[in-house]
Amino acid sequence: MSGKRDKGPAGNPWVNQPGPDEVQSDEPEEQLPPSPWNLEVQPPPSPWGGSAAPGPNPPNDPNGPGGPGGPSGPGSGPATQTSSSWGDKVGPPSLRRPPPQKKRPSIPPLLIPIGAGLLVVVIVAIVLVALSGGDDQAGPDNPPSTPVSTPAAPKTSYQPPSNAIPVGFGVSVVPAQGWTLYTKEKAGKQLAIYPPGSTGDAGAARAFFWVRQKRDVTANAYLMGIVEGETEKEITELGSVRNLPCPKDVLVECVAIDYTSTFTKNGAETKVKGSIEVYRRKDGVVTALDFRTNADFAPKAEADAATMKKSVIDSL
């Protein structure tokens, strides 16, 4: 032993060495078929004329960079300008679609003269207003307007007697003998007549004569409201509403109605006769004369009611 480490056979231990069975051969390895992806693809022809985009052409290729068909030669590459028939140079057409033009509303030809005529009329009206001054001042042809006011009660020469009871709006009533004022009634004035020895209770009265008033209603409407209220809980037979001849020029509507009714009180049946007359004046005041009496007292009550009715009409 020489004391030196045995390095073993020469060579790299990490490299496989051919074995004895492996025979070196110079035969070429089997070649794989060429891949279609490695083939050269010619670009499609340009729509603007000339040849396609330059590819890896051979140096002497006529379509190469230096050839007549190459990028620097005539007729190669996309066209940048084209000649027009009038000699100007225009650029290549754009592939973008032009924006649609906005359609303007078409005006019928017939409307044009009509609109012009209206415009002339407006101008003439403005000029006339300007020339007239445009004010509402009073003049010979333009009298001043008077404010609308509620008409006052008409003047009359009638002088009520000292025992007349005022109702309102210049109207009064003169009670007949034996008739007294029923003070509990506040709407208008109501006169009643009682049997001898009565305490003045409304239920004991033999007859009523009631004068009441309203404004801004028709005489017919006022009459129907009164008769419906008078006979609401009674068995009633109504006559027809009739027009009366208005006894004075100041009256514009005069109507009347008669009725009969029956009601029961304390087990006793009572028959009633009644009549209502309504007069409307020019100033809008409506006066109603409501007469109502027991049927057995009608002859006396009707005669008294005629006298009181005349006193009211004289004061209208």
Side-chain angles (χ1 to χ4, degrees), residues 46 48-49 53 60 83 88 103 121 123 131 174 190 212 229 266:
S46 173
W48 312 114
N60 296 328
S83 300
D88 295 333
K103 294 183 179 180
V121 172
I123 294 175
L131 293 178
V174 178
Q190 189 177 48
R212 42 185 159 172
N266 299 327

Side-chain angles (χ1 to χ4, degrees), residues 141-164:
D141 298 331
N142 188 18
S145 59
T146 57
V148 178
S149 60
T150 303
K155 295 181 180 180
T156 177
S157 59
Y158 172 74
Q159 296 295 330
S162 58
N163 61 338

Side-chain angles (χ1 to χ4, degrees), residues 16-17 28 30 39 43 46 91-93 112-113 116 132 183 201 236 248 250 256:
N16 292 331
Q17 299 295 328
E30 183 179 357
L39 298 179
S46 173
I112 296 176
S132 62
T183 56
D201 183 20
T236 306
K248 303 182 74 172
V250 75

Side-chain angles (χ1 to χ4, degrees), residues 223 240-244 254-258 276-278:
L223 179 143
S240 300
V241 178
R242 62 187 187 276
N243 293 321
L244 299 176
C254 306
V255 293
I257 190 173
D258 297 330
I276 302 171
E277 297 181 8
V278 182

Side-chain angles (χ1 to χ4, degrees), residues 29-260:
E29 297 181 357
E30 183 179 357
Q31 298 294 329
L32 297 176
S35 173
W37 305 108
N38 295 332
L39 298 179
E40 181 180 356
V41 179
Q42 295 296 332
S46 173
W48 312 114
S51 61
N57 296 329
N60 296 328
D61 192 345
N63 293 329
S72 60
S76 64
T80 57
Q81 289 183 343
T82 60
S83 300
S84 63
S85 58
W86 52 87
D88 295 333
K89 298 294 184 178
V90 295
S94 174
L95 294 181
R96 294 184 179 180
R97 179 177 298 176
Q101 297 182 355
K102 296 182 179 179
K103 294 183 179 180
R104 297 181 181 179
S106 59
I107 301 177
L110 183 60
L111 295 181
I112 296 176
I114 295 177
L118 293 177
L119 182 60
V120 171
V121 172
V122 172
I123 294 175
V124 171
I126 294 174
V127 172
L128 292 178
V129 172
L131 293 178
S132 62
D135 56 1
D136 295 332
Q137 296 180 358
D141 298 331
N142 188 18
S145 59
T146 57
V148 178
S149 60
T150 303
K155 295 181 180 180
T156 177
S157 59
Y158 172 74
Q159 296 295 330
S162 58
N163 61 338
I165 300 174
V167 179
F169 300 101
V171 178
S172 61
V173 57
V174 178
Q177 186 177 2
W179 293 70
T180 58
L181 181 65
Y182 182 64
T183 56
K184 293 183 180 180
E185 180 58 61
K186 302 303 180 182
K189 300 297 180 180
Q190 189 177 48
L191 302 173
I193 186 169
Y194 302 93
S198 174
T199 59
D201 183 20
R206 289 181 173 179
F208 286 99
F209 186 82
W210 190 359
V211 183
R212 42 185 159 172
Q213 296 174 308
K214 201 169 185 179
R215 299 199 63 177
D216 301 326
V217 296
T218 63
N220 188 75
Y222 197 21
L223 179 143
M224 295 307 299
I226 292 175
V227 72
E228 289 175 1
E230 291 280 358
T231 62
E232 181 179 2
K233 298 180 180 180
E234 300 174 357
I235 302 174
T236 306
E237 182 179 351
L238 294 176
S240 300
V241 178
R242 62 187 187 276
N243 293 321
L244 299 176
C246 292
K248 303 182 74 172
D249 294 338
V250 75
L251 302 174
V252 294
E253 186 182 5
C254 306
V255 293
I257 190 173
D258 297 330
Y259 68 90
T260 58

Side-chain angles (χ1 to χ4, degrees), residues 256-309:
I257 190 173
D258 297 330
Y259 68 90
T260 58
S261 65
T262 303
F263 69 92
T264 302
K265 184 177 181 181
N266 299 327
E269 186 179 89
T270 304
K271 293 183 179 182
V272 176
K273 292 181 65 177
S275 67
I276 302 171
E277 297 181 8
V278 182
Y279 301 88
R280 181 166 64 93
R281 292 192 315 204
K282 293 180 180 179
D283 60 354
V285 176
V286 184
T287 303
L289 312 179
D290 181 8
F291 169 66
R292 178 181 175 92
T293 179
N294 293 344
D296 56 359
F297 191 68
K300 166 68 170 132
E302 288 175 348
D304 292 344
T307 303
M308 292 185 288
K309 184 188 304 180

